[in-house]
Amino acid sequence: ALTNGISITTAGGDNDQIIAIPHTVLTNRWNLSGTITTGKSIEWECNITTGGAVTNMAFGAGLKLTNTLTIATDADQAYFLFATDGDLATPDALAGVAGNQTRLHFVYSVANADIITPLPITVSANLNLKLKIVIDAQRQAAAFVNGVQYNLLQAAVAAGQRNPTTAGTTLSNALTNTAVLLPVVGVQALAAGTPAINVHYTTINRVI
């Protein structure tokens, strides 16, 4: 049973999705220039638990320009992504190495240059994940899962050669300066069904 959070689930159709994102009308502080940008030493964190099954589904959590889980949509981003097929990446950038479609990935993009790092974390049902992204004063991102920091790739690697990374302190390349990023947490069905994730909390802060 879910405690301390909300469960978000899709409506039943293929590619149905539900994504939690701050309201972005002009009067909202999330949409004011300079509020949450890559140059403000951002720290974002959330805690989610997967549902009772993780087949034919995707979920994403992190920092993006828009409310989508698709890799190619946003020119600048830094987020965690799990997807069991290639609907969110064309070509299927999450495949190529045995087991990669069962793994959690970290994706970041700098002016449309996408770099995908498979993490050595197999996603399973009822799995609790505490996810954290820290962007430092040099605009380089660090990725943490359940308190462990993982090395991030700094150059694109062909899908067939993309092996899981290891724990370590290698940061991303510098993200685009002054990109306004929004905290996003969502789930998408990749076939008919109602996949769900449980969202316990999400937080974000920046230097003043």
Side-chain angles (χ1 to χ4, degrees):
L2 173 66
T3 59
N4 301 323
I6 62 171
S7 179
I8 57 176
T9 185
T10 62
D14 184 16
N15 287 321
D16 285 350
Q17 59 184 216
I18 181 168
I19 299 174
I21 190 171
H23 206 295
T24 55
V25 296
L26 291 177
T27 55
N28 188 280
R29 290 201 59 81
W30 286 108
N31 210 38
L32 295 180
S33 177
T35 299
I36 302 292
T37 67
T38 48
K40 296 293 187 179
S41 298
I42 299 171
E43 291 192 11
W44 168 91
E45 185 175 304
C46 82
N47 185 201
I48 64 174
T49 301
T50 58
V54 292
T55 55
N56 300 317
M57 70 168 290
F59 67 79
L63 302 166
K64 291 180 65 68
L65 293 177
T66 62
N67 60 335
T68 178
L69 304 183
T70 304
I71 292 174
T73 300
D74 289 345
D76 299 290
Q77 58 196 339
Y79 72 117
F80 295 91
L81 177 65
F82 169 75
T84 58
D85 70 21
D87 283 8
L88 304 180
T90 304
D92 187 359
L94 306 184
V97 173
N100 266 5
Q101 286 182 314
T102 68
R103 295 187 176 104
L104 186 66
H105 292 70
F106 187 79
V107 179
Y108 72 93
S109 303
V110 183
N112 279 316
D114 304 326
I115 298 182
I116 303 168
T117 302
L119 304 176
I121 298 167
T122 298
V123 176
S124 58
N126 304 309
L127 177 66
N128 186 258
L129 295 166
K130 186 177 181 180
L131 308 174
K132 184 176 182 179
I133 300 169
V134 177
I135 301 175
D136 65 18
Q138 288 71 48
R139 306 191 312 278
Q140 291 179 281
F144 300 80
V145 181
N146 293 336
V148 177
Q149 183 178 356
Y150 290 94
N151 292 313
L152 299 180
L153 295 177
Q154 295 183 325
V157 178
Q161 302 171 10
R162 192 177 296 121
N163 294 308
T165 191
T166 57
T169 58
T170 302
L171 304 177
S172 74
N173 297 326
L175 303 177
T176 300
N177 192 25
T178 69
V180 179
L181 300 178
L182 302 170
V184 172
V185 182
V187 60
Q188 180 170 329
L190 300 179
T194 55
I197 58 172
N198 303 319
V199 182
H200 305 292
Y201 66 84
T202 179
T203 67
I204 191 167
N205 63 69
R206 48 148 278 193
V207 296
I208 302 301

